[in-house]
Amino acid sequence: MSCSAVSHPPSPSLIDRFGRRIDYLRVSVTDRCDLRCSYCLPKGFKDFAEPAHWLTHAEMLRLVGLFTGLGVSKVRLTGGEPLLRRGVVDLARGIAALDGLTDLSLSTNATQLARHAAALKAVGVSRLNVSLDTLDARCYASIAGSDRLAAVLAGLGVAKQVGFAPIKLNMVVQAGVNEADVDEMVAFALAQGFVLRLIEIMPMGDAGRGSRFVDVTTLGQSLAQRYNLLPAIKGRDAGPARYWISRDGSMSLGVITPLSQHFCAACNRVRLTVDGTLHLCLGQDDQVPLGTLLRAGASDAELIAAIRRGIAAKPERHEFNTRPDKIIRFMAQTGG
């Protein structure tokens, strides 16, 4: 056989057509949430996925296992609010045991965190991202639709007590809403040893487009100067956030800037919704119906082929700036 005729097996890694290695999967275990944050879900929204269409834990574990077999090493459980999904701790235990997984994290609004934090830590969840947009109870209730701030702060306290570190606070900054609360959030994060990340609103659905954008690139630079923070050296696994740290390492501030300074060239992630739809980009409609294929009897080989086709079609970047009205689905329907 000539050298030119030698065939090689496909790479075990997922590489898209732009040379980006996809090694991070976000898994939405439910699209339900006990809050109605103004930028995420509109008031009165009821168009949630039917429970019959939700992937079972076994089905989720099967799909996630295929991804880890293809080189995905980081998984984040999201929602909606993932802690509303019954048995989520058992699901986390199963995912944590998968070969090839090096990092299992969870995004939460923390209203249910106090009673789940110890169990999550025990089964292998290593990191937490907590959505917290303000420490002002009235402002919190205005954004979230109900006053659950005390429960969130209690959850953060338990998570810190059981050893989660770092705990990242994600603050979506909105002009005229909570922009004035940033300094108090910085002080709180510093006092508690949390990492604060300021996030720009994304125009997803009517709720996202109805919120007023703040350029957190400029805001972050201003805060870094005021607190004498230094730019942090960004490793490959740092994700989309850009960080500044204090000289003694006691304070860390990050910004996530999908609009003012997008990070699509380094995108390494895809998202799996509760019904098994694989979304390849938050700001595009490209998707792969893995859940439908699975329930139609697809073999692992067929599912892997579908995953690879999806990754090959992953868009180069979002169009939030040029086509802000394009994405009509809400953030909770995709997974944060």
Side-chain angles (χ1 to χ4, degrees):
M1 181 183 292
S2 68
C3 290
S4 60
V6 174
S7 62
H8 298 279
S11 167
S13 298
L14 295 171
I15 310 290
D16 74 6
R17 58 200 166 115
F18 304 102
R20 298 173 298 195
R21 181 159 67 90
I22 310 305
D23 59 5
Y24 185 7
L25 177 67
R26 293 192 172 186
V27 180
S28 177
V29 301
T30 180
D31 58 351
R32 311 298 172 95
C33 190
D34 53 348
L35 300 179
R36 288 294 180 275
C37 292
S38 55
Y39 52 82
C40 185
L41 283 173
K43 291 181 180 179
F45 179 80
K46 296 180 180 179
D47 193 22
F48 296 104
E50 292 294 328
H53 297 159
W54 294 358
L55 294 180
T56 66
H57 290 342
E59 290 169 333
M60 282 187 179
L61 194 58
R62 179 183 172 191
L63 288 179
V64 176
L66 295 180
F67 276 94
T68 57
L70 292 169
V72 166
S73 59
K74 297 173 62 177
V75 171
R76 176 179 296 278
L77 302 179
T78 73
E81 172 46 50
L83 297 183
L84 295 181
R85 179 74 187 258
R86 185 175 299 174
V88 69
V89 171
D90 291 331
L91 175 63
R93 179 187 291 108
I95 292 174
L98 291 172
D99 288 341
L101 189 77
T102 61
D103 183 275
L104 177 60
S105 57
L106 180 135
S107 290
T108 176
N109 64 27
T111 60
Q112 313 292 320
L113 186 57
R115 62 192 181 95
H116 288 295
L120 290 167
K121 188 76 167 59
V123 300
V125 176
S126 56
R127 295 184 297 109
L128 295 176
N129 281 15
V130 174
S131 298
L132 181 59
D133 296 327
T134 180
L135 293 169
D136 180 277
R138 292 174 64 180
C139 184
Y140 183 95
S142 176
I143 294 172
S146 61
D147 182 7
R148 303 295 301 280
L149 182 59
V152 172
L153 295 178
L156 283 168
V158 174
K160 182 178 176 181
Q161 184 179 24
V162 301
F164 277 107
I167 295 173
K168 297 178 181 178
L169 304 181
N170 288 345
M171 179 183 186
V172 176
V173 185
Q174 301 177 71
V177 178
N178 63 341
E179 191 175 8
D181 299 341
V182 170
D183 283 335
E184 185 179 15
M185 287 288 290
V186 170
F188 175 70
L190 178 60
Q192 296 294 323
F194 299 148
V195 176
L196 178 63
R197 305 199 302 178
L198 309 177
I199 302 177
E200 291 174 350
I201 198 81
M202 285 181 277
M204 293 187 65
D206 292 338
R209 285 190 290 274
S211 302
R212 294 173 59 194
F213 165 77
V214 173
D215 179 343
V216 303
T217 293
T218 302
L219 179 58
Q221 290 169 343
S222 174
L223 289 168
Q225 202 167 39
R226 191 188 320 167
Y227 287 93
N228 196 27
L229 305 179
L230 303 173
I233 298 174
K234 187 174 178 180
R236 186 190 175 282
D237 295 327
R242 287 174 289 126
Y243 289 98
W244 295 269
I245 59 173
S246 59
R247 295 179 186 275
D248 63 1
S250 62
M251 179 180 178
S252 182
L253 174 72
V255 295
I256 298 180
T257 58
L259 298 184
S260 65
Q261 192 171 332
H262 76 81
F263 35 80
C264 300
C267 182
N268 66 337
R269 68 201 60 196
V270 290
R271 290 169 169 83
L272 188 69
T273 64
V274 67
D275 67 355
T277 302
L278 181 67
H279 286 277
L280 305 169
C281 173
L282 269 180
Q284 299 286 357
D285 287 322
D286 306 75
Q287 55 188 258
V288 182
L290 294 179
T292 300
L293 294 172
L294 183 153
R295 291 192 168 179
S299 65
D300 284 358
E302 290 169 330
L303 291 169
I304 288 171
I307 291 169
R308 289 193 179 279
R309 287 194 300 271
I311 298 303
K314 181 174 168 65
E316 183 177 15
R317 56 164 299 175
H318 66 68
E319 296 177 302
F320 287 140
N321 296 91
T322 55
R323 299 182 63 188
D325 59 341
K326 179 175 183 177
I327 302 302
I328 62 172
R329 67 181 185 272
F330 301 105
M331 178 64 83
Q333 294 174 299
T334 309

